[in-house]
Amino acid sequence: MKPEVSPMEPEKVRAPNIRDVARLAGVSYQTVSRVLNDSPSIKPSTRQRVLDVINDVGYRPNQAARALVTSRSRTIGVLSGQTTHYGPATSIHAIEGAAREAGYRLSSTSIASGDYASIRSALDYLLSQSLEALVVLAPQVRVFEAIEELSIAVPFVTLESSGRETGHSLSVDQVAGARMATRHLIELGHTEIVHLSGPKDWIEADARMQGFLEELGAANLRTRAPILGDWTAHFGYYAGLELLRFRDFTAVFCGNDQMALGFTHACRDMGLDVPGDISIVGFDDIPEAAHFSPPLTTVRQNFAELGRRAVAQLLSELGGEAPRGQEQITPELVVRSSTARVATPAVAGRLRR
C-alpha cells in the first residue's frame, strides 16, 4: 500500500541529470558528455547551446560517474600535519581554490601522530583513492622518509625546505628568511642574540636555526645554542621568564610569531620595554602580528602563493611536462615596532664580555 503524503509536506524536486540537459539542448547525452570533457570534436555553437542549458537548469556533473567513464578521478590529495596553524591552513585554502578552478576536487587527511605507522597509514589512505596528484604539507623529516620508501607513482609536490634532491620540492626559503631576521638585528647593533627554535625533527625549525647560525657566523659574532621550543606562545612566555632573569642578551629571534608573542608578554611581566630593553623578531607574519603590543617585526611567508604554485606545478606535470625540481619563494622582512637600535653600545659591550 502506497503511503500517504501529507499535504503540508513539500514535494521533493529531482536534480537535473545529463539526459535532461541533452533533451533541452536537442542533442544526445553522449554529446553533453563530450562537452563536459572538453572534446575538440564538438562544434562551438553546439558547445555553447549545451553550456547555456547546463547553466539554466543548474546541472552538476556526478564526479564519481565521470571518473568511471573517463578513468580519471580529477582528485588531488593533500597530506598535512598541523592544519590548525595559520600557515598550513592558508596554503590548503589556496590549494582548494586553485584546484576547484581547474576542475579538480581535494581529498585531504592529516597525520594523527608523528610515528611512522601513522604517516604510512595516512599516505595509504590517500593513495587508495585513485588520486591524480598529491600535495604534502607535513613538516616532519619522517614524513619524507616514508614518501621515499613508497615510490609514489602520481605527480606530487612537497611544501618543505629539507634540501633533499627529490625533484618535487616547493618551499619558502626558510634559511634566507632566518638570515634576514638575524641580519636586521645585527644591523641595529645587537651582538648578543638569542634564538628560540621550533621543535626537533621539524624541517622549518632546522632551516631557521641554520639561517640564524650562518648569519651570526658571517658577522663573526659569538653563537649561543638555540633553545628548542614547541611553536606556542605558552613556551615563549616561560622561556622568556627564565632567560630574562640573566639578561645577557639584547635581542631575540623567535622561530615563529606565537613564541614571539609569549616572549613579549614575559618582557612586560618582568618590567622590560620592547624594543627599548629587548628587540624581538618573529617569523610567519600571521594576521595578528601587526596588532601585537608593540607591532611585531617578522618574516612574511606567502602561504597562499605557495598553495597556488603547488597546484600549478601539479597541473603542468599532469599535462605532460617534467617535474620542475626544487623551487623556492623568497620571504620578506617586515619591520615594525618590536625592534630598535641597541640601547647603549657600552651595555652591549659588557654583555659580549
Side-chain angles (χ1 to χ4, degrees):
M1 183 175 177
K2 187 177 179 179
E4 293 184 2
V5 178
S6 167
M8 299 298 292
E9 182 179 336
E11 184 180 354
K12 291 183 178 179
V13 179
R14 177 178 63 83
N17 58 38
I18 193 170
R19 294 185 183 274
D20 294 326
V21 173
R23 175 175 53 80
L24 292 170
V27 298
S28 67
Y29 75 87
Q30 292 95 335
T31 297
V32 177
S33 179
R34 285 195 287 272
V35 169
L36 292 171
N37 290 302
D38 203 23
S39 171
S41 65
I42 304 297
K43 292 192 301 183
S45 59
T46 301
R47 181 189 308 277
Q48 191 58 53
R49 187 164 74 251
V50 171
L51 292 175
D52 288 343
V53 171
I54 288 173
N55 184 61
D56 290 342
V57 303
Y59 171 64
R60 296 290 180 269
N62 185 311
Q63 295 293 340
R66 288 183 69 184
L68 290 173
V69 174
T70 64
S71 298
R72 294 188 60 187
S73 68
R74 299 196 72 83
T75 301
I76 295 175
V78 175
L79 176 67
S80 62
Q82 291 283 352
T83 57
T84 56
H85 290 174
Y86 169 72
T90 304
S91 291
I92 291 173
H93 182 73
I95 291 167
E96 184 177 18
R100 187 169 58 248
E101 287 181 7
Y104 285 78
R105 57 181 176 172
L106 247 56
S107 176
S108 62
T109 191
S110 57
I111 299 170
S113 64
D115 63 276
Y116 183 82
S118 175
I119 295 166
R120 181 63 185 265
S121 175
L123 280 168
D124 287 343
Y125 168 76
L126 287 173
L127 295 173
S128 69
Q129 299 181 51
S130 302
L131 301 177
E132 293 193 26
L134 175 67
V135 181
V136 181
L137 284 100
Q140 292 91 343
V141 173
R142 288 188 296 273
V143 174
F144 299 96
E145 293 172 348
I147 288 172
E148 290 172 1
E149 289 184 14
L150 282 175
S151 299
I152 296 172
V154 299
F156 70 94
V157 60
T158 64
L159 305 190
E160 49 88 22
S161 54
S162 66
R164 286 184 169 87
E165 294 295 334
T166 64
H168 302 271
S169 174
L170 175 64
S171 65
V172 174
D173 192 336
Q174 306 289 319
V175 174
R179 295 196 69 158
M180 289 177 188
T182 309
R183 188 181 313 124
H184 171 66
L185 292 171
I186 294 171
E187 289 174 348
L188 290 173
H190 297 279
T191 58
E192 296 294 336
I193 306 170
V194 169
H195 177 44
L196 294 191
S197 172
K200 182 180 179 181
D201 194 44
W202 281 63
I203 293 166
E204 288 90 347
D206 288 344
R208 293 171 198 175
M209 184 190 307
Q210 178 186 340
F212 167 73
L213 294 173
E214 285 181 3
E215 194 61 32
L216 286 184
N220 198 28
L221 294 177
R222 180 168 71 93
T223 59
R224 300 164 177 261
I227 299 163
L228 297 182
D230 63 4
W231 299 131
T232 67
H234 183 83
F235 178 86
Y237 176 72
Y238 284 102
L241 291 181
E242 183 65 24
L243 290 166
L244 291 168
R245 289 170 52 207
F246 304 98
R247 280 196 63 196
D248 57 348
F249 58 95
T250 60
V252 58
F253 165 40
C254 296
N256 72 340
D257 291 346
Q258 283 86 355
M259 289 194 295
L261 173 62
F263 202 98
T264 303
H265 183 189
C267 287
R268 185 169 60 248
D269 281 4
M270 295 285 283
L272 300 174
D273 178 69
V274 176
D277 297 311
I278 303 288
S279 284
I280 300 175
V281 180
F283 205 106
D284 287 339
D285 195 27
I286 62 175
E288 298 82 4
H291 305 286
F292 286 6
S293 181
L296 182 67
T297 294
T298 186
V299 177
R300 177 178 295 160
Q301 301 194 75
N302 194 333
F303 296 107
E305 178 64 15
L306 196 63
R308 288 190 290 268
R309 285 203 197 183
V311 174
Q313 184 167 317
L314 292 174
L315 293 178
S316 70
E317 288 189 47
L318 289 169
E321 295 184 21
R324 298 178 187 176
Q326 291 183 310
E327 183 179 349
Q328 287 192 318
I329 299 172
T330 303
E332 174 190 358
L333 178 69
V334 180
V335 178
R336 298 194 179 101
S337 306
S338 66
T339 52
R341 184 160 293 279
V342 68
T344 60
V347 171
R350 282 201 307 275
L351 291 174
R352 185 162 172 72
R353 290 195 296 272

